Amino acid sequence: MKRFFIQLMPWAILLACLVAVEYFWGWTTVLAAWQSLSGQTAVTLLCLMLASYALRAVRLYDFFRQAVTGRYGLCLRLMLYHNILNNLLPFRSGELSFPLLMKRYFGVNYLVSTPGLLLFRLFDLHVILTLGLIAVFTGVMDAGPSLIIGAIAGLIPFAVFSFRQPLNTWVVGQTSEASKFRVVVAALPESGWVFLRCWWWSWANWSVKLYALAWLIGEFAGVSLGAALGGAVMGELSSVLPINAPGNAGTYEAGIAVGLLPHGVSAERVVVAAVNTHLFVLLASAVGALLAWVLPFSKQTTWAEHDNE
């Protein structure tokens, strides 16, 4: 019975969010905000989102290059499918599609693809947090010191990479709880160039995506790009929570609200910006999945094992 309620909870949250928006503001009122956005702006924002997905596929292609060489289109298809499943399924269960699709499309072993996905997620979290720090400190100090703080935070992964061998030695023989850190250490590639390129592509794809989201939030909430970036960052951070409703309903909007409220945005504008931005994210992932379905990518290549450079 307890398991049944746990499975039911995400759908209850989704239904509650839909009802709450209609009861307090009305879906017609919330969606009417799109009329203030020009068609050119909407198309540009959608293209930026799709470009961020393409850059994410480049990261996958570069990191698993030995397995996927000559198959960038298939990498893009995998990433687009993985993206929409991640956005729609509750409890982060969409993440499971990545190793499954890597096995199906390229024959990559789960023990190889899963650490790679973990590294991608660590880089994603690092980039979002770093940009969030820059957004926060820009609001309380000059841009120069804020950028210095951001630069220092941005280089933290290289410090971790430099100490990967001592870290690996340390986790060996530790208690079961401490030894779980070994999974993180094992995700680090042996080659510094592979690590650097993964870091670069992570920054590239998230910079494009968060810029697009901040632009959209700024249009709906009537705030500066810097203030809107805080909302975009908090919204994306909320999506990594272990418990969320289908489509991240509720948590994504709450994250954007947390980022906007300190800037004195009215509750109505916060709701309009949060709900419509979330709908835009879901729409962009759906368009991406449609492209993955209709574009003529080649089927599969055979490859059993892969070790990073």
Side-chain angles (χ1 to χ4, degrees):
M1 183 65 69
K2 181 179 179 181
R3 184 176 179 181
F4 171 76
F5 281 113
I6 292 176
Q7 293 175 338
L8 183 64
M9 182 172 60
W11 300 98
I13 294 174
L14 173 61
L15 179 61
C17 291
L18 295 174
V19 172
V21 171
E22 177 60 32
Y23 181 79
F24 290 104
W25 297 280
W27 277 101
T28 302
T29 301
V30 171
L31 295 177
W34 285 100
Q35 297 176 1
S36 65
L37 200 69
S38 70
Q40 182 179 357
T41 298
V43 171
T44 301
L45 290 171
L46 179 59
C47 289
L48 285 173
M49 290 291 286
L50 295 177
S52 74
Y53 301 155
L55 289 169
R56 202 179 304 177
V58 172
R59 180 176 67 175
L60 185 155
Y61 182 88
D62 187 50
F63 190 79
F64 292 102
R65 58 170 53 193
Q66 184 179 329
V68 304
T69 297
R71 299 296 182 94
Y72 171 76
L74 202 53
C75 288
L76 181 58
R77 168 177 279 178
L78 184 154
M79 190 56 62
L80 293 173
Y81 282 151
H82 178 231
N83 181 59
I84 192 170
L85 290 172
N86 239 354
N87 283 334
L88 293 181
L89 297 180
F91 296 121
R92 303 298 298 167
S93 55
E95 294 286 19
L96 297 175
S97 65
F98 183 84
L100 293 174
L101 290 172
M102 286 293 289
K103 181 70 172 179
R104 176 184 175 185
Y105 289 162
F106 304 109
V108 175
N109 193 289
Y110 301 140
L111 296 177
V112 175
S113 59
T114 302
L117 175 62
L118 175 60
L119 182 64
F120 292 164
R121 287 295 169 255
L122 290 173
F123 269 125
D124 292 343
L125 183 61
H126 164 71
V127 173
I128 296 172
L129 288 175
T130 301
L131 290 173
L133 278 175
I134 294 175
V136 168
F137 282 105
T138 299
V140 297
M141 63 176 64
D142 293 333
S146 301
L147 292 176
I148 292 174
I149 292 172
I152 294 173
L155 295 176
I156 288 176
F158 295 96
V160 176
F161 181 79
S162 299
F163 289 97
R164 67 191 185 284
Q165 293 302 337
L167 287 173
N168 189 52
T169 301
W170 177 78
V171 298
V172 173
Q174 296 296 317
T175 63
S176 59
E177 287 299 318
S179 64
K180 291 178 181 178
F181 187 63
R182 188 182 310 170
V183 179
V184 177
V185 178
L188 300 176
E190 290 296 323
S191 169
W193 281 111
V194 173
F195 188 85
L196 176 62
R197 294 197 303 267
C198 190
W199 175 86
W200 163 252
W201 291 121
S202 299
W203 271 92
N205 87 73
W206 275 105
S207 296
V208 173
K209 180 178 182 179
L210 288 175
Y211 173 72
L213 295 179
W215 182 357
L216 185 61
I217 291 172
E219 291 283 339
F220 286 135
V223 296
S224 67
L225 189 64
L229 177 61
V233 167
M234 293 305 297
E236 289 299 315
L237 277 177
S238 71
S239 65
V240 305
L241 294 174
I243 298 178
N244 49 36
N248 296 322
T251 52
Y252 196 88
E253 285 81 0
I256 293 178
V258 168
L260 288 180
L261 288 176
H263 298 280
V265 184
S266 67
E268 183 176 352
R269 281 207 164 195
V270 166
V271 170
V272 169
V275 172
N276 284 314
T277 300
H278 192 187
L279 291 176
F280 172 74
V281 171
L282 296 177
L283 173 64
S285 62
V287 171
L290 179 62
L291 290 174
W293 183 58
V294 300
L295 292 178
F297 298 137
S298 55
K299 291 288 184 182
Q300 180 176 337
T301 187
T302 302
W303 187 82
E305 297 292 338
H306 168 56
D307 294 314
N308 287 312
E309 298 174 351

